[in-house]
Amino acid sequence: MNKHLRRRGPLARLFAILVGAMLLLQAPSLAVADGGPTGSDQSFAQSLGERELTVTVRRIDKVPGPLRIDVVTHRGSPPGKLMLALVPQDAKGNLSAPGQVTERGTVELGAEPGLYGVTLTVDRAGPWELEIGDGTRTARIPFVVQVKVVAPTERAAYGGFIAAGGCLVCALVAAVRRRGTGVAMVATGGLVMALSVGITGAMLSPTVRPPAVPGSETDATLANTVDPYADASAPRTDPARPPVNIRVEADAATVGRRFELRLVLTDGSTGRPVDDLQVHHGALAHLVVISPSGQLWHLHPIRVAAGDYRVELTPTEPGTYALSVELARRGGGMQLVRPAGFPVSGQPSATKPAAEPAPTELGARVVDGTKVTVSAGRPAAGRSSTISVAVDAPLQLWLGMQGHLIAAGPVPETKSSPFERAPVWLHGHAMAPGQPTVNPPDETVAGFGPEVRFTTTFPYPGRYYLWVQVERDYAVLTIPVVLDVPATNGEVS
């Protein structure tokens, strides 16, 4: 009896070791983090002809796979059909060549504003262009299809734990079938080695620096999107990228006639077309146009080619129109460019501009059928001031924000290009309380407001023209204000 127990003793001890290893594999302390981010929804505001659209490319986890594209129309946009096409910008192996359309689709826009969409298919990760046309003009929107990426340390951790599980099973089978301690010990050794690899990978995983994100921190390619860890030494961005120069081209503009405005973007150093703009507050470029009397257009030019952005508008009065362009270049940061304005000839329109500035008072008023109340505390030059707007309606997020504030001033008392001569142009934003910075709710959610607050500083005393923009019921309300800012009186509003 004692001899029989002694003969089974080594197997019993081995079985205890294997059970302990199995419990160790199940320990929560060895859990590793999920893989790298798979990207997020990408939204682009587009002023396509007479339509102001928000185009959203939904996230995708794997390729090939379905890609959902949603289009939000706003009140006043005409119904009709949009033609869509997907065009890859990089390829390898048997994939179709860059620049060739891989799939087409259509979106039927109804008379009511809201959400419309279509599902297409992408066959690869990396850089793409989404073409959206209305039969007259075509926007070409660059976007990146990102897929789930696992860090090398996490792959080592997962591989180690899987191998450890296989060794554990082999060792248990050998022990149960009494194939001798040799086979079991070899399997146990493999188990220990695999556990060492897995645990080391799990412990090192939190310390590994995430790779540069293709499309935002580095120029996207098919290779670095599929495996961004392959070239860890690649610079995230080129901090020396120069500012963007903008040349404005326009046909002869006449009051009451719709015309096209062209923005030519070139590199400030090489003079080559700039084609590395990043999405900045929901658009590749924000164009602000102000008429001589103070009517505002906040538009989002469509990209038709590298460095070539275009937009249409209808002037309402003669004179010189001032404009500014806000954009962000990869590696160059955000820019507010104020190119030379453009002249408009003709006679004043018989129709009163919808966004004509109110007199000078603040307080309550009705804008497009909605009651709003504007207050500004006691502003003073050089001091932070709070502009508050209470809207008697639930608000939606427009361009990812609860509200937008555009200001120009001090405006000289002259009828000749007053806004072109204003030394200060401001563009501020108001986020909703508790609003997530990643994947915020889209425009279908009307649960924000009623108060929108902006904090800004007016550098000089004088008269400023302000425009607050919010969205309700798929309509963008423009609330104009004229604010007289006195010299600093030592108080902060």
Side-chain angles (χ1 to χ4, degrees):
M1 184 70 177
N2 291 339
K3 181 178 179 181
H4 181 69
L5 285 175
R6 285 195 301 270
R7 186 169 60 87
R8 296 181 58 117
L11 288 178
R13 288 193 296 271
L14 177 59
F15 183 78
I17 293 174
L18 295 176
V19 171
M22 183 171 60
L23 294 176
L24 186 62
L25 278 172
Q26 295 178 346
S29 61
L30 296 181
V32 298
D34 291 336
T38 60
S40 58
D41 296 344
Q42 303 169 69
S43 294
F44 308 85
Q46 299 283 287
S47 299
L48 183 65
E50 299 180 61
R51 297 184 176 96
E52 184 65 32
L53 307 174
T54 301
V55 180
T56 300
V57 180
R58 300 298 182 182
R59 61 181 291 175
I60 185 171
D61 288 332
K62 62 180 180 179
V63 291
L67 179 70
R68 180 67 182 179
I69 298 172
D70 289 325
V71 179
V72 173
T73 63
H74 298 88
R75 195 161 299 282
S77 294
K81 179 187 294 185
L82 297 179
M83 284 72 72
L84 280 63
L86 289 176
V87 184
Q89 302 300 301
D90 198 1
K92 69 175 182 179
N94 296 326
L95 296 173
S96 59
Q100 295 184 359
V101 175
T102 59
E103 188 165 5
R104 299 183 185 273
T106 60
V107 176
E108 294 285 350
L109 304 179
E112 289 297 317
L115 184 67
Y116 302 87
V118 66
T119 300
L120 303 178
T121 301
V122 292
D123 61 358
R124 74 198 74 177
W128 287 75
E129 280 188 6
L130 171 63
E131 295 183 353
I132 300 183
D134 61 1
T136 303
R137 58 198 66 81
T138 300
R140 293 173 173 84
I141 304 173
F143 69 98
V144 178
V145 173
Q146 297 178 336
V147 293
K148 189 177 182 65
V149 176
V150 180
T153 52
E154 294 188 19
R155 287 199 295 266
Y158 289 133
F161 291 146
I162 292 174
C167 293
L168 175 62
V169 171
C170 292
L172 287 174
V173 170
V176 170
R177 294 187 175 183
R178 300 181 183 181
R179 294 295 180 95
T181 59
V183 175
M185 292 304 295
V186 170
T188 304
L191 170 64
V192 173
M193 294 179 62
L195 275 178
S196 300
V197 173
I199 293 173
T200 302
M203 294 180 65
L204 291 179
S205 182
T207 67
V208 175
R209 183 187 182 191
V213 179
S216 59
E217 294 181 311
T218 186
D219 296 328
T221 64
L222 176 57
N224 66 16
T225 304
V226 173
D227 187 8
Y229 291 92
D231 188 5
S233 62
R236 292 174 177 262
T237 56
D238 180 2
R241 290 186 183 182
V244 176
N245 292 334
I246 298 180
R247 185 177 75 253
V248 179
E249 298 179 356
D251 297 330
T254 306
V255 172
R257 295 185 58 185
R258 196 167 188 84
F259 79 105
E260 183 180 74
L261 195 66
R262 183 187 181 201
L263 306 178
V264 181
L265 280 57
T266 56
D267 185 280
S269 176
T270 65
R272 296 177 179 175
V274 168
D275 203 26
D276 58 359
L277 297 189
Q278 292 183 284
V279 175
H280 174 67
H281 294 303
L284 293 172
H286 299 262
L287 172 66
V288 172
V289 180
I290 306 178
S291 74
S293 68
Q295 182 178 357
L296 177 84
W297 287 263
H298 182 177
L299 304 171
H300 306 96
I302 62 172
R303 173 185 174 274
V304 299
D308 189 352
Y309 287 75
R310 305 188 185 190
V311 71
E312 296 180 4
L313 70 155
T314 304
T316 55
E317 60 181 304
T320 300
Y321 285 59
L323 54 93
S324 72
V325 182
E326 184 176 318
L327 48 81
R329 187 179 186 186
R330 188 178 308 118
M334 194 275 287
Q335 283 185 253
L336 181 64
V337 186
R338 293 178 60 185
F342 58 91
V344 175
S345 61
Q347 298 298 319
S349 173
T351 304
K352 183 179 179 181
E356 182 180 352
T360 57
E361 71 273 5
L362 302 172
R365 76 183 79 162
V366 176
V367 177
D368 292 343
T370 302
K371 182 181 177 181
V372 300
T373 303
V374 184
S375 61
R378 290 178 293 174
R383 302 285 186 177
S384 63
S385 302
T386 299
I387 311 297
S388 299
V389 178
V391 183
D392 190 20
L395 301 179
Q396 298 157 281
L397 297 184
W398 185 48
L399 306 175
M401 295 290 172
Q402 185 178 219
H404 301 257
L405 171 66
I406 299 171
V411 177
E413 295 184 4
T414 175
K415 294 183 179 180
S416 177
S417 308
F419 293 97
E420 270 206 310
R421 302 185 183 188
V424 177
W425 282 43
L426 303 172
H427 189 176
H429 304 92
M431 295 184 65
Q435 175 184 331
T437 57
V438 178
N439 276 340
D442 58 26
E443 293 178 64
T444 61
V445 179
F448 302 94
E451 186 176 34
V452 182
R453 296 167 63 90
F454 305 89
T455 300
T456 190
T457 300
F458 302 102
Y460 308 107
R463 173 161 291 186
Y464 288 79
Y465 281 63
L466 283 63
W467 299 266
V468 175
Q469 294 188 303
V470 296
E471 181 178 350
R472 65 167 296 274
D473 194 22
Y474 294 104
V476 177
L477 302 182
T478 299
I479 306 165
V481 180
V482 178
L483 184 66
D484 290 317
V485 178
T488 304
N489 55 14
E491 296 182 356
V492 178
S493 62

